[in-house]
Amino acid sequence: MTKKKQFLLNKKTGKRKPVGPETADDFLADFEEAGEKWRAGDAAKSTRFFVRAIETYDSGLQTFPSSFDLAYNNNTAQVLTSLAEAVSEGRNASDETRDQALKMLREALELFQRCLSVQEFQFTQAQEQASMAQDAINVEDAMNVEDESTMVDISTSDASEEERWASIVEPVTKDSLLDTAVAQLETLTSVCGLMSSQGILGLAWIEEYARNLLQGKMVAYLDGTNRNHEVALARANFVAAYSDASFRAGQLDLPTYERDLTTAFNQDLHLTTDPQGLCDRADALIALNASIVASTHYAPNIPPNEISQIKAFRWAHLTKALNDLAAAAKLPTAENIPRIHMRRGDCELLRLRLSEQPARHATAGANRTTLLKNAKVHYQSAAKLASVSASPDEEREASAKAAVLGGLSFDDAHALVAAPEHFEANTQLVEVVEEMTEDALLPVEILAGFSRGRT
């Protein structure tokens, strides 16, 4: 958010006692940045920073109620806080925690909407003032006024206008409006990920909200900007999340889900040179795989031929995700390369899971050893790159996953098994195995071997 311009007056020198924040900018604290820094590594610490950011912004708004910067950052903090609190419970988040996070996200949407209303008013006002100023110039040129006193009055009026703009904020532009609208859409995308317990009623208001945003406001804001790709990607991510929520709620069949996903990432998007877009599409395809697993898990009587078709479908889309991640890792503009390589390792393990019974996928089964080796190589690469880039959290996670795979092999029945001596010498890896089974990267049967070893 662009800060208000400040013009400093001459001040008397000398020591004085420290005082609290005196201007609106003073309240734009660094707590939000610190919270973002710790999101991946220490969710609890991240949450505390986000809470302190909200407290600081709220205090600032009480002192400077008309500060647009503080209002905007307060909205952003609300979104990040809700996400941080959801993450703080980890992969075992309770329904109560998810509902609380959902409540905060909905509050954030309301705050963003208020923010957007203020922006729209300021934008319209600025346009009207610009139009009036242009009309005045046109009239002046037409009359060719030469009266010196009149010219002095006009210049004085212009100076007052400039001072008035400088004393408020820089004019709101279509880019400013688009920033807030995209933030709304991204928040709505996050909401979709928490809607599993809300069912049809929850999906209805999301669809209506998104329609008004995508087909109305954002179309108008885009005109005259060069941000079509950015908005198209935000839209694709929303469609992916909404389709996933609809499928999980039983409101969308698999072919429609696949079609919506494919269309969303192909429409007005050229991802070959966009690493973030490639990663987003890969994540959407991995989410598709996870939702299929969840839906079939509760239907144990599926005929073997249908299971084979489903596994072939999953293999094809996980392979597409893997290709997207590989392409993203090669681009010079890619960020967080270690995380991309870790996702590649995850993808290989998800493909390996398709070699399991029932209805073992032929290609996965024939290449099980290669898939396991590839996953380990990707994790090792991620750990090495994280070490070089000073990313301790990614290095720790990738190293642990690679170490886990170092203790796995296949038995005579081609099932994945753990070497007891490997994990006895590295007991901390057992917890990593548990997390990997919860993420469906490894079969739960591996844990049974550990349980027998502990008794």
Side-chain angles (χ1 to χ4, degrees):
M1 192 68 202
T2 304
K3 294 183 179 180
K4 183 192 301 183
K5 292 183 177 179
Q6 300 291 326
F7 299 93
L8 300 179
L9 301 175
N10 292 330
K11 297 181 180 180
K12 295 181 179 179
T13 59
K15 296 182 179 180
R16 65 174 181 173
K17 295 181 179 180
V19 296
E22 295 181 337
T23 69
D25 284 351
D26 292 339
F27 284 94
L28 295 173
D30 296 328
F31 296 130
E32 188 176 329
E33 182 179 349
E36 184 66 33
K37 174 183 177 182
W38 287 102
R39 280 183 68 180
D42 191 330
K45 182 181 292 186
S46 172
T47 301
R48 290 195 295 272
F49 276 118
F50 284 132
V51 170
R52 292 181 67 184
I54 289 179
E55 292 172 349
T56 303
Y57 295 144
D58 286 343
S59 177
L61 284 171
Q62 291 176 11
T63 307
F64 300 95
S66 63
S67 170
F68 184 73
D69 286 319
L70 286 169
Y72 185 88
N73 281 323
N74 184 51
N75 287 310
T76 305
Q78 291 283 1
V79 176
L80 295 177
T81 301
S82 61
L83 292 176
E85 289 185 351
V87 172
S88 68
E89 292 295 332
R91 49 178 54 80
N92 296 317
S94 65
D95 289 340
E96 182 180 357
T97 300
R98 293 168 65 88
D99 289 342
Q100 184 181 13
L102 181 60
K103 181 180 178 181
M104 290 183 176
L105 286 171
R106 295 192 65 165
E107 180 182 356
L109 286 172
E110 295 175 3
L111 293 170
F112 271 129
Q113 185 54 48
R114 295 180 198 172
C115 184
L116 187 60
S117 297
V118 173
Q119 282 182 304
E120 288 177 327
F121 173 77
Q122 293 180 348
F123 180 72
T124 302
Q125 194 176 47
Q127 285 187 314
E128 292 174 351
Q129 291 173 342
S131 178
M132 291 172 61
Q134 185 61 48
D135 290 343
I137 292 174
N138 293 339
V139 170
E140 181 183 349
D141 290 341
M143 295 178 63
N144 194 21
V145 178
E146 296 182 357
D147 187 308
E148 184 176 352
S149 61
T150 303
M151 293 177 66
V152 170
D153 289 340
I154 293 176
S155 64
T156 302
S157 175
D158 288 344
S160 299
E161 183 73 11
E162 291 173 2
E163 289 176 1
R164 187 164 67 87
W165 274 112
S167 65
I168 305 176
V169 290
E170 295 180 359
V172 174
T173 64
K174 284 190 175 182
D175 278 319
S176 306
L177 296 170
L178 208 52
D179 285 340
T180 306
V182 169
Q184 279 183 293
L185 189 60
E186 291 174 344
T187 304
L188 205 60
T189 301
S190 299
V191 170
C192 291
L194 298 172
M195 292 304 296
S196 59
S197 61
Q198 303 295 315
I200 302 174
L201 295 178
L203 294 172
W205 76 263
I206 292 177
E207 183 179 14
E208 181 180 0
Y209 195 113
R211 185 188 303 113
N212 294 334
L213 194 61
L214 288 167
Q215 298 180 7
K217 295 180 181 296
M218 296 184 80
V219 173
Y221 302 159
L222 263 177
D223 185 39
T225 71
N226 60 350
R227 299 173 64 180
N228 294 71
H229 179 84
E230 175 192 351
V231 172
L233 183 58
R235 178 188 179 278
N237 286 327
F238 167 74
V239 171
Y242 181 79
S243 299
D244 186 69
S246 300
F247 177 75
R248 285 177 176 264
Q251 300 302 304
L252 199 68
D253 59 31
L254 185 56
T256 305
Y257 181 5
E258 179 192 27
R259 185 184 67 242
D260 290 349
L261 196 62
T262 301
T263 302
F265 280 97
N266 287 341
Q267 188 176 18
D268 300 325
L269 282 174
H270 304 283
L271 300 181
T272 53
T273 58
D274 180 11
Q276 184 60 56
L278 289 168
C279 290
D280 287 348
R281 183 167 64 184
D283 285 342
L285 292 170
I286 293 171
L288 168 65
N289 174 77
S291 293
I292 294 173
V293 172
S295 66
T296 56
H297 177 72
Y298 298 104
N301 298 323
I302 300 177
N305 63 319
E306 290 188 21
I307 296 178
S308 296
Q309 293 174 359
I310 292 173
K311 284 194 171 184
F313 181 91
R314 291 171 57 197
W315 173 270
H317 287 79
L318 286 172
T319 301
K320 289 179 181 178
L322 196 62
N323 292 338
D324 278 345
L325 292 169
K330 295 177 182 178
L331 293 174
T333 55
E335 298 179 355
N336 203 342
I337 298 294
R339 180 62 58 179
I340 295 177
H341 282 291
M342 261 197 289
R343 292 297 275 166
R344 294 176 72 182
D346 292 347
C347 234
E348 290 287 32
L349 290 183
L350 291 173
R351 295 207 303 171
L352 176 60
R353 295 294 310 276
L354 299 176
S355 68
E356 301 169 11
Q357 294 287 8
R360 177 181 286 128
H361 187 271
T363 305
N367 295 277
R368 65 176 66 85
T369 302
T370 300
L371 294 173
L372 183 62
K373 180 180 178 180
N374 287 347
K376 184 179 179 181
V377 169
H378 288 317
Y379 289 142
Q380 289 173 331
S381 298
K384 182 177 180 179
L385 290 169
S387 175
V388 172
S389 61
S391 303
D393 298 321
E394 282 82 1
E395 181 183 5
R396 192 159 39 245
E397 180 182 349
S399 297
K401 286 183 173 181
V404 165
L405 299 192
L408 303 181
S409 60
F410 298 97
D411 63 13
D412 294 339
H414 306 304
L416 202 59
V417 294
E421 62 278 5
H422 179 81
F423 292 93
E424 288 173 1
N426 303 275
T427 55
Q428 72 277 9
L429 293 180
V430 176
E431 183 177 348
V432 180
V433 174
E434 292 173 347
E435 293 176 353
M436 294 176 73
T437 59
E438 290 172 4
D439 292 336
L441 300 177
L442 296 175
V444 294
E445 288 76 14
I446 287 183
L447 292 176
F450 291 137
S451 299
R452 287 194 298 269
R454 292 175 181 175
T455 57

